[in-house]
PDB file of all heavy atoms in Angstrom:
ATOM      1  N   GLY A 245       0.781  -1.228   0.000  1.00 94.00           N
ATOM      2  CA  GLY A 245       0.000   0.000   0.000  1.00 94.00           C
ATOM      3  C   GLY A 245       0.817   1.285   0.000  1.00 94.00           C
ATOM      4  O   GLY A 245       0.271   2.363   0.207  1.00 94.00           O
ATOM      5  N   VAL A 246       2.123   1.197  -0.245  1.00 94.00           N
ATOM      6  CA  VAL A 246       2.960   2.394  -0.295  1.00 94.00           C
ATOM      7  C   VAL A 246       2.668   3.185  -1.568  1.00 94.00           C
ATOM      8  O   VAL A 246       2.669   4.413  -1.562  1.00 94.00           O
ATOM      9  CB  VAL A 246       4.455   2.027  -0.190  1.00 94.00           C
ATOM     10  CG1 VAL A 246       5.348   3.233  -0.371  1.00 94.00           C
ATOM     11  CG2 VAL A 246       4.732   1.340   1.145  1.00 94.00           C
ATOM     12  N   VAL A 247       2.430   2.480  -2.674  1.00 96.00           N
ATOM     13  CA  VAL A 247       1.962   3.106  -3.924  1.00 96.00           C
ATOM     14  C   VAL A 247       0.624   2.462  -4.277  1.00 96.00           C
ATOM     15  O   VAL A 247       0.413   1.271  -4.031  1.00 96.00           O
ATOM     16  CB  VAL A 247       2.973   2.957  -5.086  1.00 96.00           C
ATOM     17  CG1 VAL A 247       4.289   3.658  -4.780  1.00 96.00           C
ATOM     18  CG2 VAL A 247       3.236   1.501  -5.427  1.00 96.00           C
ATOM     19  N   PRO A 248      -0.300   3.248  -4.853  1.00 95.00           N
ATOM     20  CA  PRO A 248      -1.648   2.715  -5.066  1.00 95.00           C
ATOM     21  C   PRO A 248      -1.825   1.840  -6.313  1.00 95.00           C
ATOM     22  O   PRO A 248      -2.677   0.959  -6.321  1.00 95.00           O
ATOM     23  CB  PRO A 248      -2.519   3.970  -5.166  1.00 95.00           C
ATOM     24  CG  PRO A 248      -1.589   5.051  -5.588  1.00 95.00           C
ATOM     25  CD  PRO A 248      -0.238   4.687  -5.047  1.00 95.00           C
ATOM     26  N   HIS A 249      -1.024   2.082  -7.363  1.00 95.00           N
ATOM     27  CA  HIS A 249      -1.233   1.378  -8.631  1.00 95.00           C
ATOM     28  C   HIS A 249       0.111   1.003  -9.256  1.00 95.00           C
ATOM     29  O   HIS A 249       1.130   1.637  -8.982  1.00 95.00           O
ATOM     30  CB  HIS A 249      -2.002   2.267  -9.622  1.00 95.00           C
ATOM     31  CG  HIS A 249      -3.318   2.731  -9.093  1.00 95.00           C
ATOM     32  ND1 HIS A 249      -4.387   1.886  -8.904  1.00 95.00           N
ATOM     33  CD2 HIS A 249      -3.733   3.957  -8.690  1.00 95.00           C
ATOM     34  CE1 HIS A 249      -5.411   2.566  -8.420  1.00 95.00           C
ATOM     35  NE2 HIS A 249      -5.036   3.830  -8.267  1.00 95.00           N
ATOM     36  N   LEU A 250       0.069   0.022 -10.140  1.00 94.00           N
ATOM     37  CA  LEU A 250       1.280  -0.409 -10.830  1.00 94.00           C
ATOM     38  C   LEU A 250       1.907   0.736 -11.617  1.00 94.00           C
ATOM     39  O   LEU A 250       3.131   0.880 -11.640  1.00 94.00           O
ATOM     40  CB  LEU A 250       0.979  -1.598 -11.753  1.00 94.00           C
ATOM     41  CG  LEU A 250       2.169  -2.201 -12.493  1.00 94.00           C
ATOM     42  CD1 LEU A 250       3.245  -2.681 -11.513  1.00 94.00           C
ATOM     43  CD2 LEU A 250       1.725  -3.334 -13.386  1.00 94.00           C
ATOM     44  N   ASP A 251       1.087   1.578 -12.232  1.00 96.00           N
ATOM     45  CA  ASP A 251       1.632   2.724 -12.970  1.00 96.00           C
ATOM     46  C   ASP A 251       2.439   3.643 -12.056  1.00 96.00           C
ATOM     47  O   ASP A 251       3.434   4.223 -12.479  1.00 96.00           O
ATOM     48  CB  ASP A 251       0.517   3.510 -13.666  1.00 96.00           C
ATOM     49  CG  ASP A 251      -0.104   2.736 -14.818  1.00 96.00           C
ATOM     50  OD1 ASP A 251       0.530   1.782 -15.323  1.00 96.00           O
ATOM     51  OD2 ASP A 251      -1.229   3.080 -15.223  1.00 96.00           O
ATOM     52  N   ASP A 252       2.012   3.787 -10.810  1.00 96.00           N
ATOM     53  CA  ASP A 252       2.751   4.611  -9.843  1.00 96.00           C
ATOM     54  C   ASP A 252       4.073   3.945  -9.476  1.00 96.00           C
ATOM     55  O   ASP A 252       5.068   4.633  -9.233  1.00 96.00           O
ATOM     56  CB  ASP A 252       1.913   4.830  -8.581  1.00 96.00           C
ATOM     57  CG  ASP A 252       0.624   5.573  -8.874  1.00 96.00           C
ATOM     58  OD1 ASP A 252       0.674   6.599  -9.577  1.00 96.00           O
ATOM     59  OD2 ASP A 252      -0.435   5.108  -8.415  1.00 96.00           O
ATOM     60  N   LEU A 253       4.082   2.627  -9.430  1.00 96.00           N
ATOM     61  CA  LEU A 253       5.308   1.896  -9.125  1.00 96.00           C
ATOM     62  C   LEU A 253       6.369   2.128 -10.201  1.00 96.00           C
ATOM     63  O   LEU A 253       7.560   2.170  -9.902  1.00 96.00           O
ATOM     64  CB  LEU A 253       4.998   0.400  -8.985  1.00 96.00           C
ATOM     65  CG  LEU A 253       6.131  -0.501  -8.520  1.00 96.00           C
ATOM     66  CD1 LEU A 253       6.553  -0.163  -7.088  1.00 96.00           C
ATOM     67  CD2 LEU A 253       5.712  -1.960  -8.624  1.00 96.00           C
ATOM     68  N   ASP A 254       5.929   2.316 -11.441  1.00 96.00           N
ATOM     69  CA  ASP A 254       6.870   2.516 -12.552  1.00 96.00           C
ATOM     70  C   ASP A 254       7.785   3.712 -12.334  1.00 96.00           C
ATOM     71  O   ASP A 254       8.918   3.722 -12.815  1.00 96.00           O
ATOM     72  CB  ASP A 254       6.115   2.694 -13.873  1.00 96.00           C
ATOM     73  CG  ASP A 254       5.412   1.424 -14.328  1.00 96.00           C
ATOM     74  OD1 ASP A 254       5.666   0.340 -13.762  1.00 96.00           O
ATOM     75  OD2 ASP A 254       4.580   1.533 -15.259  1.00 96.00           O
ATOM     76  N   ASP A 255       7.301   4.728 -11.616  1.00 95.00           N
ATOM     77  CA  ASP A 255       8.078   5.947 -11.367  1.00 95.00           C
ATOM     78  C   ASP A 255       8.538   6.080  -9.919  1.00 95.00           C
ATOM     79  O   ASP A 255       9.134   7.079  -9.543  1.00 95.00           O
ATOM     80  CB  ASP A 255       7.238   7.187 -11.722  1.00 95.00           C
ATOM     81  CG  ASP A 255       6.870   7.224 -13.186  1.00 95.00           C
ATOM     82  OD1 ASP A 255       7.728   6.919 -14.027  1.00 95.00           O
ATOM     83  OD2 ASP A 255       5.702   7.556 -13.485  1.00 95.00           O
ATOM     84  N   TYR A 256       8.236   5.095  -9.101  1.00 96.00           N
ATOM     85  CA  TYR A 256       8.554   5.174  -7.670  1.00 96.00           C
ATOM     86  C   TYR A 256      10.059   5.064  -7.474  1.00 96.00           C
ATOM     87  O   TYR A 256      10.694   4.106  -7.921  1.00 96.00           O
ATOM     88  CB  TYR A 256       7.812   4.057  -6.931  1.00 96.00           C
ATOM     89  CG  TYR A 256       7.936   4.132  -5.433  1.00 96.00           C
ATOM     90  CD1 TYR A 256       7.494   5.242  -4.732  1.00 96.00           C
ATOM     91  CD2 TYR A 256       8.483   3.067  -4.725  1.00 96.00           C
ATOM     92  CE1 TYR A 256       7.599   5.299  -3.351  1.00 96.00           C
ATOM     93  CE2 TYR A 256       8.588   3.115  -3.350  1.00 96.00           C
ATOM     94  CZ  TYR A 256       8.151   4.235  -2.662  1.00 96.00           C
ATOM     95  OH  TYR A 256       8.260   4.286  -1.298  1.00 96.00           O
ATOM     96  N   ARG A 257      10.639   6.032  -6.805  1.00 95.00           N
ATOM     97  CA  ARG A 257      12.100   6.112  -6.727  1.00 95.00           C
ATOM     98  C   ARG A 257      12.726   5.270  -5.622  1.00 95.00           C
ATOM     99  O   ARG A 257      13.946   5.235  -5.492  1.00 95.00           O
ATOM    100  CB  ARG A 257      12.546   7.559  -6.632  1.00 95.00           C
ATOM    101  CG  ARG A 257      12.200   8.235  -5.350  1.00 95.00           C
ATOM    102  CD  ARG A 257      12.619   9.686  -5.407  1.00 95.00           C
ATOM    103  NE  ARG A 257      12.749  10.204  -4.073  1.00 95.00           N
ATOM    104  CZ  ARG A 257      12.399  11.408  -3.727  1.00 95.00           C
ATOM    105  NH1 ARG A 257      11.909  12.233  -4.606  1.00 95.00           N
ATOM    106  NH2 ARG A 257      12.571  11.814  -2.491  1.00 95.00           N
ATOM    107  N   TYR A 258      11.910   4.586  -4.821  1.00 97.00           N
ATOM    108  CA  TYR A 258      12.455   3.778  -3.732  1.00 97.00           C
ATOM    109  C   TYR A 258      12.331   2.288  -3.991  1.00 97.00           C
ATOM    110  O   TYR A 258      12.121   1.485  -3.078  1.00 97.00           O
ATOM    111  CB  TYR A 258      11.817   4.186  -2.399  1.00 97.00           C
ATOM    112  CG  TYR A 258      12.116   5.635  -2.080  1.00 97.00           C
ATOM    113  CD1 TYR A 258      11.095   6.574  -2.014  1.00 97.00           C
ATOM    114  CD2 TYR A 258      13.424   6.060  -1.892  1.00 97.00           C
ATOM    115  CE1 TYR A 258      11.375   7.905  -1.747  1.00 97.00           C
ATOM    116  CE2 TYR A 258      13.714   7.390  -1.637  1.00 97.00           C
ATOM    117  CZ  TYR A 258      12.682   8.306  -1.559  1.00 97.00           C
ATOM    118  OH  TYR A 258      12.968   9.624  -1.305  1.00 97.00           O
ATOM    119  N   THR A 259      12.487   1.930  -5.245  1.00 97.00           N
ATOM    120  CA  THR A 259      12.551   0.530  -5.657  1.00 97.00           C
ATOM    121  C   THR A 259      13.358   0.443  -6.941  1.00 97.00           C
ATOM    122  O   THR A 259      13.414   1.406  -7.716  1.00 97.00           O
ATOM    123  CB  THR A 259      11.137  -0.058  -5.839  1.00 97.00           C
ATOM    124  OG1 THR A 259      11.263  -1.426  -6.222  1.00 97.00           O
ATOM    125  CG2 THR A 259      10.343   0.653  -6.871  1.00 97.00           C
ATOM    126  N   GLY A 260      13.959  -0.705  -7.166  1.00 97.00           N
ATOM    127  CA  GLY A 260      14.733  -0.917  -8.377  1.00 97.00           C
ATOM    128  C   GLY A 260      13.887  -1.102  -9.618  1.00 97.00           C
ATOM    129  O   GLY A 260      14.407  -1.088 -10.733  1.00 97.00           O
ATOM    130  N   HIS A 261      12.591  -1.274  -9.465  1.00 98.00           N
ATOM    131  CA  HIS A 261      11.679  -1.435 -10.604  1.00 98.00           C
ATOM    132  C   HIS A 261      11.801  -0.244 -11.561  1.00 98.00           C
ATOM    133  O   HIS A 261      11.891  -0.429 -12.775  1.00 98.00           O
ATOM    134  CB  HIS A 261      10.248  -1.577 -10.081  1.00 98.00           C
ATOM    135  CG  HIS A 261       9.191  -1.639 -11.136  1.00 98.00           C
ATOM    136  ND1 HIS A 261       8.982  -2.765 -11.903  1.00 98.00           N
ATOM    137  CD2 HIS A 261       8.274  -0.717 -11.536  1.00 98.00           C
ATOM    138  CE1 HIS A 261       7.977  -2.529 -12.745  1.00 98.00           C
ATOM    139  NE2 HIS A 261       7.531  -1.307 -12.540  1.00 98.00           N
ATOM    140  N   SER A 262      11.825   0.962 -11.015  1.00 97.00           N
ATOM    141  CA  SER A 262      11.903   2.158 -11.854  1.00 97.00           C
ATOM    142  C   SER A 262      13.231   2.236 -12.614  1.00 97.00           C
ATOM    143  O   SER A 262      13.278   2.740 -13.741  1.00 97.00           O
ATOM    144  CB  SER A 262      11.688   3.425 -11.019  1.00 97.00           C
ATOM    145  OG  SER A 262      12.601   3.473  -9.936  1.00 97.00           O
ATOM    146  N   ALA A 263      14.296   1.715 -12.038  1.00 97.00           N
ATOM    147  CA  ALA A 263      15.581   1.690 -12.754  1.00 97.00           C
ATOM    148  C   ALA A 263      15.541   0.674 -13.892  1.00 97.00           C
ATOM    149  O   ALA A 263      16.089   0.934 -14.975  1.00 97.00           O
ATOM    150  CB  ALA A 263      16.716   1.358 -11.795  1.00 97.00           C
ATOM    151  N   LEU A 264      14.882  -0.455 -13.676  1.00 98.00           N
ATOM    152  CA  LEU A 264      14.765  -1.450 -14.749  1.00 98.00           C
ATOM    153  C   LEU A 264      13.958  -0.899 -15.924  1.00 98.00           C
ATOM    154  O   LEU A 264      14.208  -1.255 -17.073  1.00 98.00           O
ATOM    155  CB  LEU A 264      14.139  -2.740 -14.222  1.00 98.00           C
ATOM    156  CG  LEU A 264      15.068  -3.584 -13.354  1.00 98.00           C
ATOM    157  CD1 LEU A 264      14.298  -4.659 -12.618  1.00 98.00           C
ATOM    158  CD2 LEU A 264      16.176  -4.201 -14.196  1.00 98.00           C
ATOM    159  N   LEU A 265      12.995  -0.036 -15.626  1.00 97.00           N
ATOM    160  CA  LEU A 265      12.200   0.581 -16.693  1.00 97.00           C
ATOM    161  C   LEU A 265      12.840   1.853 -17.231  1.00 97.00           C
ATOM    162  O   LEU A 265      12.303   2.472 -18.149  1.00 97.00           O
ATOM    163  CB  LEU A 265      10.791   0.889 -16.178  1.00 97.00           C
ATOM    164  CG  LEU A 265       9.955  -0.332 -15.806  1.00 97.00           C
ATOM    165  CD1 LEU A 265       8.592   0.111 -15.286  1.00 97.00           C
ATOM    166  CD2 LEU A 265       9.804  -1.282 -16.977  1.00 97.00           C
ATOM    167  N   SER A 266      13.954   2.271 -16.674  1.00 96.00           N
ATOM    168  CA  SER A 266      14.686   3.493 -17.063  1.00 96.00           C
ATOM    169  C   SER A 266      13.908   4.772 -16.782  1.00 96.00           C
ATOM    170  O   SER A 266      14.155   5.792 -17.408  1.00 96.00           O
ATOM    171  CB  SER A 266      15.105   3.459 -18.537  1.00 96.00           C
ATOM    172  OG  SER A 266      16.101   2.505 -18.732  1.00 96.00           O
ATOM    173  N   THR A 267      12.976   4.740 -15.851  1.00 96.00           N
ATOM    174  CA  THR A 267      12.275   5.967 -15.479  1.00 96.00           C
ATOM    175  C   THR A 267      13.015   6.717 -14.375  1.00 96.00           C
ATOM    176  O   THR A 267      12.892   7.937 -14.274  1.00 96.00           O
ATOM    177  CB  THR A 267      10.822   5.685 -15.034  1.00 96.00           C
ATOM    178  OG1 THR A 267      10.835   4.754 -13.960  1.00 96.00           O
ATOM    179  CG2 THR A 267      10.007   5.131 -16.197  1.00 96.00           C
ATOM    180  N   VAL A 268      13.769   5.998 -13.546  1.00 94.00           N
ATOM    181  CA  VAL A 268      14.636   6.602 -12.535  1.00 94.00           C
ATOM    182  C   VAL A 268      16.002   5.949 -12.691  1.00 94.00           C
ATOM    183  O   VAL A 268      16.201   4.815 -12.241  1.00 94.00           O
ATOM    184  CB  VAL A 268      14.094   6.393 -11.106  1.00 94.00           C
ATOM    185  CG1 VAL A 268      15.035   7.017 -10.079  1.00 94.00           C
ATOM    186  CG2 VAL A 268      12.690   6.961 -10.955  1.00 94.00           C
ATOM    187  N   PRO A 269      16.935   6.608 -13.382  1.00 92.00           N
ATOM    188  CA  PRO A 269      18.241   5.982 -13.630  1.00 92.00           C
ATOM    189  C   PRO A 269      19.037   5.767 -12.337  1.00 92.00           C
ATOM    190  O   PRO A 269      19.052   6.620 -11.461  1.00 92.00           O
ATOM    191  CB  PRO A 269      18.969   6.986 -14.537  1.00 92.00           C
ATOM    192  CG  PRO A 269      17.993   8.048 -14.874  1.00 92.00           C
ATOM    193  CD  PRO A 269      16.820   7.927 -13.971  1.00 92.00           C
ATOM    194  N   ARG A 270      19.645   4.612 -12.256  1.00 95.00           N
ATOM    195  CA  ARG A 270      20.529   4.254 -11.139  1.00 95.00           C
ATOM    196  C   ARG A 270      21.753   3.583 -11.747  1.00 95.00           C
ATOM    197  O   ARG A 270      21.706   2.401 -12.090  1.00 95.00           O
ATOM    198  CB  ARG A 270      19.843   3.276 -10.184  1.00 95.00           C
ATOM    199  CG  ARG A 270      18.533   3.744  -9.616  1.00 95.00           C
ATOM    200  CD  ARG A 270      18.729   4.556  -8.378  1.00 95.00           C
ATOM    201  NE  ARG A 270      17.436   4.864  -7.773  1.00 95.00           N
ATOM    202  CZ  ARG A 270      17.238   5.891  -7.001  1.00 95.00           C
ATOM    203  NH1 ARG A 270      18.224   6.695  -6.710  1.00 95.00           N
ATOM    204  NH2 ARG A 270      16.044   6.125  -6.487  1.00 95.00           N
ATOM    205  N   ASP A 271      22.833   4.337 -11.900  1.00 95.00           N
ATOM    206  CA  ASP A 271      24.018   3.788 -12.566  1.00 95.00           C
ATOM    207  C   ASP A 271      24.658   2.644 -11.787  1.00 95.00           C
ATOM    208  O   ASP A 271      25.405   1.856 -12.340  1.00 95.00           O
ATOM    209  CB  ASP A 271      25.044   4.884 -12.855  1.00 95.00           C
ATOM    210  CG  ASP A 271      25.638   5.512 -11.599  1.00 95.00           C
ATOM    211  OD1 ASP A 271      25.120   5.273 -10.485  1.00 95.00           O
ATOM    212  OD2 ASP A 271      26.637   6.242 -11.742  1.00 95.00           O
ATOM    213  N   TRP A 272      24.352   2.519 -10.521  1.00 96.00           N
ATOM    214  CA  TRP A 272      24.930   1.478  -9.683  1.00 96.00           C
ATOM    215  C   TRP A 272      24.107   0.197  -9.678  1.00 96.00           C
ATOM    216  O   TRP A 272      24.579  -0.828  -9.207  1.00 96.00           O
ATOM    217  CB  TRP A 272      25.096   1.990  -8.250  1.00 96.00           C
ATOM    218  CG  TRP A 272      23.854   2.610  -7.677  1.00 96.00           C
ATOM    219  CD1 TRP A 272      23.527   3.945  -7.710  1.00 96.00           C
ATOM    220  CD2 TRP A 272      22.774   1.955  -7.029  1.00 96.00           C
ATOM    221  NE1 TRP A 272      22.310   4.145  -7.107  1.00 96.00           N
ATOM    222  CE2 TRP A 272      21.817   2.933  -6.674  1.00 96.00           C
ATOM    223  CE3 TRP A 272      22.514   0.623  -6.703  1.00 96.00           C
ATOM    224  CZ2 TRP A 272      20.640   2.636  -6.020  1.00 96.00           C
ATOM    225  CZ3 TRP A 272      21.327   0.312  -6.047  1.00 96.00           C
ATOM    226  CH2 TRP A 272      20.409   1.316  -5.705  1.00 96.00           C
ATOM    227  N   GLN A 273      22.881   0.232 -10.177  1.00 97.00           N
ATOM    228  CA  GLN A 273      22.035  -0.963 -10.181  1.00 97.00           C
ATOM    229  C   GLN A 273      22.358  -1.835 -11.387  1.00 97.00           C
ATOM    230  O   GLN A 273      22.530  -1.343 -12.498  1.00 97.00           O
ATOM    231  CB  GLN A 273      20.555  -0.579 -10.192  1.00 97.00           C
ATOM    232  CG  GLN A 273      19.643  -1.776 -10.033  1.00 97.00           C
ATOM    233  CD  GLN A 273      18.181  -1.392  -9.896  1.00 97.00           C
ATOM    234  OE1 GLN A 273      17.861  -0.305  -9.436  1.00 97.00           O
ATOM    235  NE2 GLN A 273      17.305  -2.290 -10.296  1.00 97.00           N
ATOM    236  N   SER A 274      22.406  -3.125 -11.185  1.00 95.00           N
ATOM    237  CA  SER A 274      22.740  -4.091 -12.241  1.00 95.00           C
ATOM    238  C   SER A 274      21.495  -4.432 -13.060  1.00 95.00           C
ATOM    239  O   SER A 274      20.962  -5.543 -12.979  1.00 95.00           O
ATOM    240  CB  SER A 274      23.351  -5.352 -11.622  1.00 95.00           C
ATOM    241  OG  SER A 274      24.521  -5.034 -10.929  1.00 95.00           O
ATOM    242  N   THR A 275      21.060  -3.478 -13.871  1.00 96.00           N
ATOM    243  CA  THR A 275      19.834  -3.665 -14.644  1.00 96.00           C
ATOM    244  C   THR A 275      20.029  -4.600 -15.829  1.00 96.00           C
ATOM    245  O   THR A 275      19.121  -5.358 -16.174  1.00 96.00           O
ATOM    246  CB  THR A 275      19.293  -2.312 -15.150  1.00 96.00           C
ATOM    247  OG1 THR A 275      20.306  -1.667 -15.922  1.00 96.00           O
ATOM    248  CG2 THR A 275      18.887  -1.413 -13.989  1.00 96.00           C
ATOM    249  N   GLU A 276      21.197  -4.555 -16.449  1.00 95.00           N
ATOM    250  CA  GLU A 276      21.418  -5.375 -17.641  1.00 95.00           C
ATOM    251  C   GLU A 276      21.274  -6.863 -17.347  1.00 95.00           C
ATOM    252  O   GLU A 276      20.724  -7.613 -18.147  1.00 95.00           O
ATOM    253  CB  GLU A 276      22.796  -5.098 -18.263  1.00 95.00           C
ATOM    254  CG  GLU A 276      22.992  -3.691 -18.756  1.00 95.00           C
ATOM    255  CD  GLU A 276      23.406  -2.718 -17.660  1.00 95.00           C
ATOM    256  OE1 GLU A 276      23.809  -3.158 -16.561  1.00 95.00           O
ATOM    257  OE2 GLU A 276      23.296  -1.497 -17.887  1.00 95.00           O
TER     258      GLU A 276
END
């Protein structure tokens, strides 16, 4: 319940999900 919808999760900056989608870049996360 921290974010209400999956679309909100796509841009949520406190999870690696957004880095995998390239919406919040994290150069240190092993996305590849």
Side-chain angles (χ1 to χ4, degrees):
V246 175
V247 297
H249 303 290
L250 183 58
D251 291 341
D252 298 313
L253 186 65
D254 292 348
D255 297 318
Y256 187 60
R257 69 183 201 218
Y258 299 115
T259 181
H261 175 75
S262 55
L264 286 167
L265 295 179
S266 290
T267 57
V268 179
R270 304 273 186 205
D271 65 348
W272 51 267
Q273 187 174 333
S274 299
T275 57
E276 297 83 14

